[in-house]
Amino acid sequence: MADIFNEVDEDVRKEKSLALWKAYGKYVIGAAVLIVAATAGYVGWQNYTVNQSRTQGAEFSAAAALMAAEKPGEAAAAFAGLAESGNAGYRPLASLREAAAFLAVGDGDKALAIYDALSADGSVDPEFSALADLMAGYYLLDNGTTDEVRNRIAPLTEAGSLFNASANELLALTYIKDGETGKARDVLTTLQNDATVPEDIKGRVSQLLAALGGS
């Protein structure tokens, strides 16, 4: 009889965690992706100032304008051209934006292929490879398995690694999705107590911890 009650308790915990994920997970992902995209823009700009190219800058701006005009198909093609011929700064940044354009039209497989290629490209700055793995993790959270996400972001969750805070936030979300609230709390508490974690991430972490505490 005790085993039956334990199974029921476990089912209830997982059901509540899944409800939390459905209600809150997409918001967290959306906010984090915006932050990561801004970071990518900054990294791209740093490379641009070193390898300045007015022509490529104009091409990138034109492709970004197509995205802003809600023409992701055309934007993907424009970013693809720059990803092929761009310099060390624009090429990986254009690849990331091309992947985002494919996601916007619902072609996640193409986006994931771009992330895979960028992650494996030893000729680009490690910031971009790390970012590709993180973005792939966000995509796989809704379109793959939680094990796939954790395998993808494992190197990024280590202390001192690039995008460590975002990666651990994503790691916590995989545990929430699996109903492993104890593991999620451990990761989130570590983030909350880390002085180096950006305030926007800490704000979301606090909200998640509060929600988990009521589960």
Side-chain angles (χ1 to χ4, degrees):
M1 184 64 70
D3 289 340
I4 293 175
F5 282 122
N6 287 335
E7 290 178 9
V8 171
D9 287 343
E10 180 65 21
D11 288 341
V12 170
R13 283 195 296 271
K14 288 187 176 182
E15 183 178 344
K16 288 184 176 179
S17 291
L18 187 56
L20 171 63
W21 161 251
K22 288 180 178 179
Y24 194 74
K26 292 182 184 297
Y27 162 75
V28 174
I29 291 175
V33 167
L34 287 176
I35 294 167
V36 171
T39 303
Y42 174 69
V43 173
W45 176 252
Q46 285 185 312
N47 281 278
Y48 167 69
T49 58
V50 176
N51 304 292
Q52 189 170 9
S53 169
R54 291 182 179 178
T55 300
Q56 291 180 28
E59 291 175 1
F60 189 91
S61 295
L66 288 171
M67 278 294 290
E70 298 184 356
K71 298 178 180 179
E74 294 178 37
F79 281 125
L82 191 54
E84 182 69 26
S85 61
N87 63 27
Y90 278 115
R91 184 167 56 84
L93 187 58
S95 292
L96 288 168
R97 295 298 298 273
E98 180 190 3
F102 279 127
L103 289 177
V105 296
D107 201 338
D109 288 343
K110 287 184 179 179
L112 190 59
I114 291 172
Y115 294 143
D116 287 339
L118 193 54
S119 174
D121 190 346
S123 69
V124 303
D125 288 347
E127 293 93 339
F128 290 110
S129 296
L131 189 54
D133 282 331
L134 184 61
M135 299 304 290
Y138 285 126
Y139 171 74
L140 290 169
L141 190 60
D142 266 342
N143 301 278
T145 68
T146 49
D147 282 340
E148 286 178 310
V149 178
R150 288 191 280 265
N151 289 336
R152 177 76 64 148
I153 65 172
L156 306 181
T157 61
E158 298 299 324
S161 67
L162 200 60
F163 305 118
N164 169 271
S166 292
N168 276 290
E169 182 184 21
L170 182 54
L171 176 63
L173 287 174
T174 67
Y175 290 137
I176 291 173
K177 191 173 183 181
D178 285 346
E180 298 184 83
T181 55
K183 290 183 178 180
R185 285 194 195 94
D186 289 343
V187 174
L188 292 169
T189 300
T190 298
L191 285 173
Q192 190 179 52
N193 295 331
D194 187 342
T196 66
V197 172
E199 288 302 316
D200 46 8
I201 293 180
K202 278 196 174 184
R204 295 197 301 274
V205 164
S206 295
Q207 292 179 51
L208 277 172
L209 281 170
L212 288 173
S215 62

